[in-house]
Every structure is written in structure tokens, then in C-alpha cells.
Amino acid sequence: MSLYVTEFHNAAGSLTGNHVTSSVRRLKELNGVFLSKEAYDRSDLEQVVYEVEMHNVCGNVEGGLYFGVSRISPGKVGDEYFMTKGHFHEKRNRGEYYWGIRGKGMLVLMDENREAYTEDVFPGSLHYIPGHIAHRLVNIGEVTLVVGACWPSDAGHDYDTIQTEGFSIRVMEQDGNPSIMHY
Ligand code: F6R
Ligand code: ZN
């Protein structure tokens, strides 16, 4: 890889090069995200639940775009599959595209009235997330779930609303299959 080139490695689901930043979310940083506190306390909190790499050239300006890739590990806390924190965009009317690259997942979507729905994520699936819709990725498979994303650079992230109110549905394993539970 040249120092001045940014590359998206589709097979590996990774992004390297110029203007790329990354973040890692370990279980210890996801306190309160999963339903069962008891299962959480029993888990290895050093486990990596997900990683994100982002390409941003322009900063958080209106009119710009971010490109990103998320990799969610397979795993569960109790019966609940590993997932991202999830968020609304701070500027609520900003939408986003997701697309499935590898693995098997569910995209959990919820509007501001807490009406929630899901979409299946698989290699080649395309997901338009309108503005005003909170979104979270859940890995319901046995391999790393890899998902691409593109969103407006001035969207921002509101994690607090989800942190305090949660999503109205959770994806749990029941009798060996993913099942949607309402809260
Ligand atoms: C950006 C976006 C994704 C997520 C990523 C991690 O707007 O939706 O790139 O940021 O999947 O999830 P969160 O941000 O919820 O921890
Ligand atoms: Zn987003």
C-alpha cells in the first residue's frame, strides 16, 4: 500500500491509508448496552465487540461525506447477540446508506416514536436509513459481520438518547434462532 493511497479491501473488510481513522469497542465500553447485567458481568470484558474504520477528507462540514466500514464480532452476552451501540444522528434529518459485505446480520431501525423494524443484512444487501431513524447492527451469524456505510459528514452522533432510552426491540437467540423481543 502506498502511503498516499486509501484502499478499501473488500475481501478483508478493511480500510487503510490516508485520511483513515479507526475505533475499537470492547465489551467493557458497552456497559448498559446489553439487557442482562448478570450475563455482562460474567463475560470477558476485554473482548472486541466491534471495530469501525472511517475515511474522512473534509472534516464535519455540510455537504461532505464519510465512508466507513464496521466489523462486528460473532458472540453474545447471555442470549443477546453482539451489536453496535446504535445512535440517532445529531442532525436528525441526515440519512445514511449501509450495505452488507460479509456475514449475517440484522439492522435494527427505530423512529422517534419508538416504532422499530429490522432488515436482514447479508453480502450484497443495501439499506437506506432515512433521517430521524436510529440504527444499530446486530451480528446473528457465526463469522464477523462486515458492513459498509456512507453518511453526511455533518450528521454527528447522538448516543445519549439510545443510552438512556434504548431501542424498543432487541435481537436475542431463542431455541437456536434469532428472535425479536419487544420492550
Ligand atoms: C455512522 C454509522 C456507522 C456506525 C458504526 C458503529 O453514522 O452509522 O458507521 O458508527 O456501525 O456503530 P455506533 O456508532 O452506533 O457505535
Ligand atoms: Zn449512523
Side-chain angles (χ1 to χ4, degrees), residues 24-34 37 40-41 43-50 77 82 85 163:
V24 179
R25 296 271 175 259
R26 292 177 194 278
L27 204 45
K28 65 183 175 193
E29 291 154 311
L30 301 175
N31 195 5
V33 170
F34 294 91
K37 172 93 180 98
Y40 180 83
D41 289 339
S43 304
D44 168 11
L45 298 181
E46 293 301 323
Q47 285 179 87
V48 172
V49 178
Y50 62 99
V77 174
F82 276 6
K85 281 190 196 180
Q163 182 79 27

Side-chain angles (χ1 to χ4, degrees), residues 8 15 52-56 63-70 87 89 94-101 126-131 135 137 147-155 157:
F8 178 61
L15 194 55
V52 183
E53 279 150 8
M54 279 174 291
H55 183 247
N56 172 31
L65 293 171
Y66 272 84
F67 177 93
V69 62
S70 303
H87 57 267
H89 289 156
R94 299 308 197 246
E96 181 161 2
Y97 271 109
Y98 276 6
W99 59 97
I101 295 169
L126 183 69
H127 310 273
Y128 176 62
I129 303 166
H135 38 288
L137 284 164
V147 178
C150 186
W151 68 100
S153 17
D154 65 344
H157 295 92

Side-chain angles (χ1 to χ4, degrees), residues 98-111:
Y98 276 6
W99 59 97
I101 295 169
R102 194 192 326 147
K104 199 174 159 190
M106 266 193 201
L107 172 59
V108 175
L109 300 151
M110 182 179 78
D111 71 16

Side-chain angles (χ1 to χ4, degrees), residues 55-146:
H55 183 247
N56 172 31
V57 179
C58 57
N60 298 339
V61 299
E62 186 177 338
L65 293 171
Y66 272 84
F67 177 93
V69 62
S70 303
R71 294 188 297 271
I72 300 95
S73 309
K76 280 179 291 172
V77 174
D79 294 328
E80 191 168 17
Y81 298 98
F82 276 6
M83 59 188 180
T84 59
K85 281 190 196 180
H87 57 267
F88 284 100
H89 289 156
E90 207 172 298
K91 281 200 175 146
R92 284 289 194 273
N93 68 357
R94 299 308 197 246
E96 181 161 2
Y97 271 109
Y98 276 6
W99 59 97
I101 295 169
R102 194 192 326 147
K104 199 174 159 190
M106 266 193 201
L107 172 59
V108 175
L109 300 151
M110 182 179 78
D111 71 16
E112 291 167 299
N113 296 319
R114 303 186 55 73
E115 281 295 319
Y117 57 106
T118 62
E119 291 181 7
D120 291 339
V121 183
F122 52 88
S125 65
L126 183 69
H127 310 273
Y128 176 62
I129 303 166
H132 300 270
I133 299 286
H135 38 288
R136 158 180 282 169
L137 284 164
V138 183
N139 186 348
I140 58 167
E142 276 156 24
V143 300
T144 300
L145 175 68
V146 182

